[in-house]
């Protein structure tokens, strides 16, 4: 089954090639022709999937209200990790119902000027708004949950970042001691709620996030892999908002974003308490474990989505 699934994706007629780097264009085109152009057009056709939808769909809707899950995993080291998740747009601002962040924001903002409407019509608007929100949310979680309340040594906000599939999820991962896990979870929920209500995004928050996002973008532009990622799917109809403007106008769109843009974008995400899915995972010592008396270093926090329990 695994082989069939992989081979069904390797069809010459659906192949897209993105090449970035310091090279002679004619030499690379010749190599592409020699190594890929000679592959028969019907190669792997026996693996083609003929049943099921041909287009990328939407993420399945989450059941509401949200749920809480409590997990225990055997491990010799005492540690815990908490998760907060909910619905979010995909990387380009498409929601699960097929609408876009730009559309939702435009409908919600009755006072929008013609300039605002023009800005929000840019295909990169949703992507830029989500990049800035992600940076601001991470800073808020760090300053609130770690520095002020001292409940964790790592709190991370991330988005699934689907490109073709409409909709997605956000995920907050917070590592803590077993005794502080529940309090850390509640602190993360409070931080997200405050971000959209009592302590909204300030101009200083926005300007700081812009600097970080743009500096990261400028740094990544020095790598070939980043260019290849930006070009990947740029001609695909299944990613309609990704095009040349997402490269050429990146700086201008980021700089044009306002705090109102981001506050209205937050309302496109499932941040209400009734929409949140939460979980706490704690380790328990295996039966019969003998303490060797060696003092072990505290485990480092996992930086990926899985968190510390998945290391």
């Amino acid at each position: 089954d695994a082989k069939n699934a992989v081979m069904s994706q390797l069809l010459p007629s659906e192949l897209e090639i993105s090449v970035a780097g310091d090279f002679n264009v004619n030499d690379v085109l010749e190599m592409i022709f020699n190594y890929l152009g000679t592959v028969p057009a019907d190669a792997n056709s026996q693996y083609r999937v003929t049943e099921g939808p041909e287009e990328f769909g939407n993420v399945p809707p989450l059941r509401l209200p949200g749920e809480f899950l409590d997990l225990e995993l055997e491990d010799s080291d005492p540690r815990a990790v908490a998760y907060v998740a909910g619905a979010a747009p995909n990387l380009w601002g498409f929601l699960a119902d097929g609408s876009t962040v730009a559309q939702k924001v435009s409908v919600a903002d009755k006072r929008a000027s013609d300039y605002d409407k023009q800005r929000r019509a840019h295909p990169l608007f949703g992507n830029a708004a989500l990049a800035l929100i992600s940076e601001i949310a991470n800073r808020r979680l760090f300053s609130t949950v770690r520095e002020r309340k001292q409940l964790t040594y790592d709190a991370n906000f991330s988005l699934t970042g689907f490109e073709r599939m409409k909709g997605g999820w956000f995920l907050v991962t917070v590592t803590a001691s077993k005794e502080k896990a529940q309090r850390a979870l509640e602190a993360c929920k409070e931080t997200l709620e405050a971000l959209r209500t009592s302590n909204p995004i300030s101009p200083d928050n926005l300007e700081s996030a812009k600097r970080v996002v743009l500096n990261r973008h400028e740094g990544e532009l020095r790598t070939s892999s980043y260019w290849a990622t930006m070009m990947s799917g740029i001609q695909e109809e299944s990613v309609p908002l990704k095009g040349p403007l997402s490269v050429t106008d990146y700086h201008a769109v980021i700089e044009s974003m306002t705090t109102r843009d981001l506050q209205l974008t937050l309302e496109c995400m499932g941040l209400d308490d009734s929409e949140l899915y939460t979980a706490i995972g704690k380790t328990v010592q295996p039966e019969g474990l003998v303490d060797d008396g060696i003092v072990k270093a505290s485990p480092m926090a996992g930086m990926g989505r899985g968190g510390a329990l998945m290391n």
Side-chain angles (χ1 to χ4, degrees):
D1 290 341
K3 177 182 177 181
N4 290 340
V6 172
M7 297 301 287
S8 69
Q9 306 301 310
L10 302 178
L11 304 175
S13 61
E14 300 176 3
L15 185 64
E16 179 195 50
I17 303 171
S18 298
V19 183
D22 184 9
F23 54 80
N24 182 285
V25 175
N26 291 330
D27 290 345
V28 171
L29 289 176
E30 183 178 356
M31 285 189 286
I32 291 174
F33 176 77
N34 291 334
Y35 290 100
L36 299 177
T38 54
V39 176
D42 61 349
N44 295 338
S45 58
Q46 67 271 29
Y47 297 103
R48 182 185 294 275
V49 178
T50 57
E51 299 178 358
E54 295 183 359
E55 297 181 357
F56 287 90
N58 305 4
V59 299
L62 296 172
R63 294 193 306 271
L64 298 179
E67 301 175 2
F68 172 75
L69 186 63
D70 199 357
L71 298 171
E72 289 187 344
L73 301 174
E74 288 190 352
D75 193 276
S76 57
D77 293 326
R79 49 182 172 168
V81 60
Y83 299 100
V84 181
N90 75 357
L91 184 64
W92 296 98
F94 276 100
L95 284 79
D97 62 5
S99 62
T100 67
V101 166
Q103 292 168 346
K104 295 281 188 181
V105 169
S106 296
V107 170
D109 191 0
K110 305 299 183 182
R111 300 174 295 157
S113 65
D114 290 340
Y115 174 65
D116 288 332
K117 295 176 182 178
Q118 182 182 3
R119 287 190 306 103
R120 293 165 180 169
H122 195 286
L124 194 60
F125 176 83
N127 179 279
L130 293 170
L132 292 169
I133 285 175
S134 182
E135 179 62 33
I136 293 169
N138 270 307
R139 290 196 172 203
R140 286 286 184 92
L141 289 167
F142 182 88
S143 63
T144 302
V145 186
R146 174 174 173 166
E147 292 189 333
R148 184 159 63 85
K149 296 193 174 185
Q150 298 182 344
L151 294 173
T152 180
Y153 45 85
D154 177 62
N156 176 261
F157 178 95
S158 62
L159 295 162
T160 47
F162 298 134
E163 285 201 294
R164 292 171 172 81
M165 186 173 290
K166 293 180 175 63
W169 301 279
F170 71 84
L171 176 65
V172 176
T173 305
V174 55
T175 50
S177 66
K178 296 170 66 174
E179 297 75 21
K180 295 180 178 180
Q182 185 63 47
R183 289 163 57 199
L185 174 65
E186 294 302 323
C188 288
K189 292 169 61 178
E190 292 170 6
T191 302
L192 294 178
E193 177 62 19
L195 193 62
R196 57 185 284 261
T197 55
S198 61
N199 189 13
I201 297 170
S202 68
D204 287 343
N205 294 154
L206 177 58
E207 291 306 313
S208 179
K210 285 180 180 180
R211 287 195 298 271
V212 172
V213 170
L214 288 175
N215 287 339
R216 183 187 302 131
H217 175 70
E218 293 296 329
E220 293 282 11
L221 285 176
R222 299 184 178 92
T223 66
S224 297
S225 60
Y226 188 62
W227 278 101
T229 299
M230 287 194 298
M231 291 188 294
S232 177
I234 208 168
Q235 301 179 73
E236 291 285 341
E237 294 182 1
S238 58
V239 195
L241 297 181
K242 189 173 186 179
L245 293 180
S246 62
V247 179
T248 59
D249 293 358
Y250 190 88
H251 193 283
V253 174
I254 291 290
E255 287 288 8
S256 71
M257 301 298 290
T258 67
T259 55
R260 184 159 180 77
D261 290 333
L262 302 193
Q263 290 299 148
L264 292 174
T265 299
L266 284 172
E267 297 305 315
C268 299
M269 305 171 69
L271 295 173
D272 190 77
D273 187 66
S274 63
E275 300 176 285
L276 296 177
Y277 274 71
T278 56
I280 293 179
K282 298 179 180 179
T283 60
V284 293
Q285 288 193 344
E287 293 185 8
L289 179 69
V290 178
D291 188 354
D292 56 14
I294 299 176
V295 178
K296 299 180 180 179
S298 298
M300 294 299 292
M303 295 304 293
R305 287 197 188 97
L309 288 182
M310 303 302 289
N311 289 347

